[in-house]
Structure formats: C-alpha cells, structure tokens
Amino acid sequence: MRKNKLLAAVVVSMAVMMAASACGSKDNTKAGTETETSTEAGSQGTAKGSEEETGTEVSGEESEGEDAEASATEAPKGAPEAGSLDAGVFTSKSGKYQITPPQGWIINEESDENLAVFISPNDSDFLEVTYVEGDDAGDAREVYPDTMEEYKAQISRGEDMEFVRYNVENGSDGSQTFRYAIRYKTPDDGVRYYAISGSYDAAAKKYISAAGTIESEGSDVENQIEAALDSLKLK
C-alpha cells in the first residue's frame, strides 16, 4: 500500500483573486470670488463625497473576495497538469480516466495525470488516483493474493485490523481487478480507514487505482470515499 505517500501530500493553498474597480474622483471645486465660508463648505462636500466613493469601492471588493473564496472551496483546483473538473467530475488531462472526488476537497498542486491527490478540507483525509500505462504499468501495481486471509497475514498491523471487504479477481493473462477496505480501531499512525479499488490490464498494459486514506472519525467521510471509488472510470 502507498499510505505513507498519501500522508506526505502537501496541502495546496487556494489563492483568491480579487478584482479591483477603478473609481473616478469628483471635482467639486468652484471658480470665482466665493467667500471663505463657501470655499470651506465646498471642500468638506468634496471630502465627504470621496469617503463615500471609497467606502463603496472597498465594499464591492470585499463582496467579490467572499464570492471568489466560496467558489474556491466548491471544487478541486490548482493542478492543470492533472486535469480539470466539470460539474463535480474530475477528468484527467488526456481524458483517459474520470473520478468524482468528495465535494469541497482540493487537489494537491503538484499532482499530475499519473498521480492525482485530493485532500479533505481538514487536511486529514486523502484520495489518491494512480494511472500508469505502458511497460511501467506492471511495476506500478501491487499483486494481491486470492484470499483475504493470505493478504491479512502479509500486512498484519495488530489485532484491531478489520477487513470490511476483500474482492480480487484474476485473469488468465495476468490481469487483475481488486477492491478492499480495512478499518483500524486503534491505529498507531492515525489512519482509521483505508480503501482501494482498481485494475491492471495485462494486454493493454494499463494500471489504475483510487485509494482513500482516512484519519477523521465518523462514517461520513468513509461514505464519501466509497462513493468516489465507485465513480472511478477508465475511458
């Protein structure tokens, strides 16, 4: 498993772009031979007008900034080399796979098409999509044994490790599809839930997987990860 790599993901900071609107000055200066009192009144009126205009401009900037910030939290952004998001669905840059990450998660700015990492708002949970094709596809994958008992013996992490499921199917040509999930009651490294789903096509030389690593407590984020794994699609 690649949990340690997931936990090392760096959280991307979402930059909020605020558009500034230009505001012209208002000339209230009067020409002629006015009295000193009239001149002072005109100056005060000009100053008041400038303050009102400035206040309106700042208020507009704040409103635009809030809108931009709210928009930034709605969808993963910041890694154009990985792909793009449309209506909640992430499509890799080449269009070779799609996945629907949990709403509000951001994508690590260092992600690319071969390794896209999405991060939860609390920085504690991760969704990693790995895609490799060609001669390197076989080396990128983990070969899973046929049964849960065999695999549990290989990765035993204590008595509190509970397999939620373990499904592995092998093809005659060396291809393999897999999906399993593990829950830890008292994890040493903070990971409470780990789930992965994917496949290796030996003939096409393609490997793809989506894996979720969860530190947060509760079933909500588990359900979000499971839904994301269900949405993984190789095109």
Side-chain angles (χ1 to χ4, degrees), residues 139-155:
D139 296 331
R141 72 187 184 112
E142 179 177 357
V143 180
Y144 298 103
D146 292 336
T147 68
M148 177 182 68
E149 288 73 20
E150 292 177 275
Y151 192 55
K152 186 174 182 179
Q154 292 180 15
I155 63 167

Side-chain angles (χ1 to χ4, degrees), residues 3 11 29 33 35 39 54 83 111 128 142 167 174 194 212 220 234:
K3 296 181 203 171
V11 178
T29 305
T33 56
T35 61
T39 302
T54 303
S111 296
E128 176 192 52
E142 179 177 357
N167 301 311
Y194 178 81
D220 289 348
L234 185 61

Side-chain angles (χ1 to χ4, degrees), residues 68-88:
E69 185 174 2
S71 176
T73 61
E74 291 176 358
K77 298 180 185 297
E81 291 303 314
S84 60
L85 191 93
D86 183 23

